[in-house]
Amino acid sequence: MTPITEVEGRRLALSNLEKVLYPAHGFTKGEVLHYYAVTAGSLLAHLYNRPVSFLRFPDGPDGQRFFAKNVPPGTPAWVRTAEVPRRSEGRTAKQVVVQDLATLMWAANLVTEFHTPQWQADAPGQADRMVFDLDPGEPATIVECCEVALWLRERLEADGLHVYAKTSGSKGLHVLVPLQPTPSEKVSAYAKELAVEAEHELPGLALHRMTRALRPGKVFVDYSQNAAAKTTAAPYTLRARPLPTVSAPVTWDEVEACGHPDDLVFLANDIAPRLQEHGDLLGPLINLNRAGKLPKGFR
């Protein structure tokens, strides 16, 4: 019999709680739900008012995985949705907006990663953050990503911007910047310029092109996730990896000190202690006083 629980006055059916989703770690679906409940205060702040795309992996990371933007079948009527433009299709479609604990638990029960655009639901295409996804090509690792991230931090700060970092929860690192609302195409143009500059200033290390043949041993500075139609793994989301890794905020001291790929691997059970020690390291992303302006040529 499927357990029924009540969350903030909403009745939820939580299924298969003993199912092991991460066999290498013995991490169960019940533990996934517990993780999201424990981190809800910080995670919800970064999901708030953003249409969510789901990467679902109901049988664990070794099973079928599928990416979904549309509202899943069977979504409760009380789950908030937003009309989101599909620019390539010239129409709009509905997506879920995870605003509260009940919605978060309902979505977590589907076993999902949470991905969001760089803009909010009431201002599509007006980015309030910028992201660089640093993706290492073997044999490069997150250690090399940290070198590129430190260069980006210095370069962005020179333009008067505040800069933060988190692990991707996979192989790489995300560099994030809070912005005053700016058209996504202008953010993308600025981010591309910096990616090209990184390749020039860090020859043999940074790369701004996705060409597979060029990527071994280098860090791809992916600026494309600033496009209005693109999304990025949200802070604190679990990832569909062999272990229950998390896209975890990190300090710049941790980035500077990274000497081995394992130094910046954070599992679900690591996050509550980190929140207790550091608070939400990405809290400034949603602090309007930290939101910066792009240089004049890109406003």
Side-chain angles (χ1 to χ4, degrees):
M1 183 175 180
T2 301
I4 302 293
T5 189
E6 187 171 300
V7 179
E8 296 182 335
R10 306 293 190 185
R11 287 172 58 82
L12 297 175
L14 304 179
S15 59
N16 301 318
L17 299 183
E18 301 302 319
K19 183 177 184 178
V20 175
L21 294 176
Y22 296 87
H25 198 261
F27 203 74
T28 67
K29 183 178 177 183
E31 289 174 298
V32 167
L33 290 165
H34 177 73
Y35 166 76
Y36 279 124
V38 168
T39 58
S42 298
L43 174 57
L44 285 170
H46 294 287
L47 297 179
Y48 186 80
N49 202 34
R50 295 181 192 275
V52 171
S53 299
F54 299 118
L55 177 62
R56 295 186 57 191
F57 53 111
D59 294 314
D62 295 330
Q64 182 184 16
R65 294 186 281 181
F66 50 97
F67 199 74
K69 288 191 173 185
N70 295 331
V71 178
T75 297
W78 47 263
V79 169
R80 184 191 163 194
T81 60
E83 291 284 346
V84 176
R86 295 279 193 268
R87 295 191 177 185
S88 61
E89 303 168 20
R91 61 181 181 85
T92 62
K94 287 186 177 181
Q95 285 183 233
V96 169
V97 181
V98 179
Q99 298 286 80
D100 51 46
L101 181 59
T103 304
L104 178 62
M105 290 295 95
W106 163 78
N109 188 59
L110 301 176
V111 186
T112 183
E113 295 181 4
F114 296 95
H115 293 246
T116 58
Q118 314 314 321
W119 42 266
Q120 297 195 36
D122 52 1
Q126 292 291 314
D128 61 356
R129 62 183 59 170
M130 174 169 52
V131 62
F132 295 88
D133 181 2
L134 306 183
D135 186 12
E138 293 182 355
T141 67
I142 198 171
V143 176
E144 286 73 27
C145 292
C146 288
E147 294 182 51
V148 177
L150 291 167
W151 181 90
L152 278 171
R153 178 181 66 160
E154 183 176 357
R155 179 64 182 81
L156 290 159
E157 287 179 343
D159 278 346
L161 299 168
H162 297 284
V163 193
Y164 305 91
K166 69 180 178 74
T167 66
S168 68
S170 180
K171 298 179 296 181
L173 198 69
H174 293 161
V175 174
L176 303 115
V177 177
L179 296 174
Q180 296 182 17
T182 305
S184 293
E185 58 268 24
K186 293 188 176 182
V187 179
S188 294
Y190 173 72
K192 180 179 180 179
E193 181 172 281
L194 264 61
V196 171
E197 189 175 333
E199 182 173 329
H200 176 75
E201 293 294 324
L202 302 172
L205 178 60
L207 183 71
H208 86 279
R209 290 161 290 174
M210 192 181 290
T211 308
R212 290 287 176 185
L214 300 175
R215 293 183 62 180
K218 296 185 180 181
V219 175
F220 173 42
V221 183
D222 186 358
Y223 58 87
S224 71
Q225 292 179 32
N226 294 290
K230 294 292 189 72
T231 61
T232 306
Y236 302 105
T237 188
L238 280 165
R239 303 303 306 268
R241 304 288 295 171
L243 297 175
T245 54
V246 173
S247 184
V250 292
T251 68
W252 284 111
D253 285 344
E254 289 175 315
V255 174
E256 290 173 354
C258 182
H260 189 276
D262 290 345
D263 291 344
L264 292 182
V265 174
F266 299 101
L267 304 183
N269 292 335
D270 297 323
I271 303 305
R274 287 181 62 81
L275 284 169
Q276 186 171 9
E277 179 181 358
H278 299 293
D280 180 8
L281 290 168
L282 292 183
L285 279 181
I286 51 182
N287 181 342
L288 295 179
N289 293 327
R290 290 278 172 165
K293 292 182 179 180
L294 297 185
K296 287 186 178 179
F298 297 94
R299 295 178 190 170

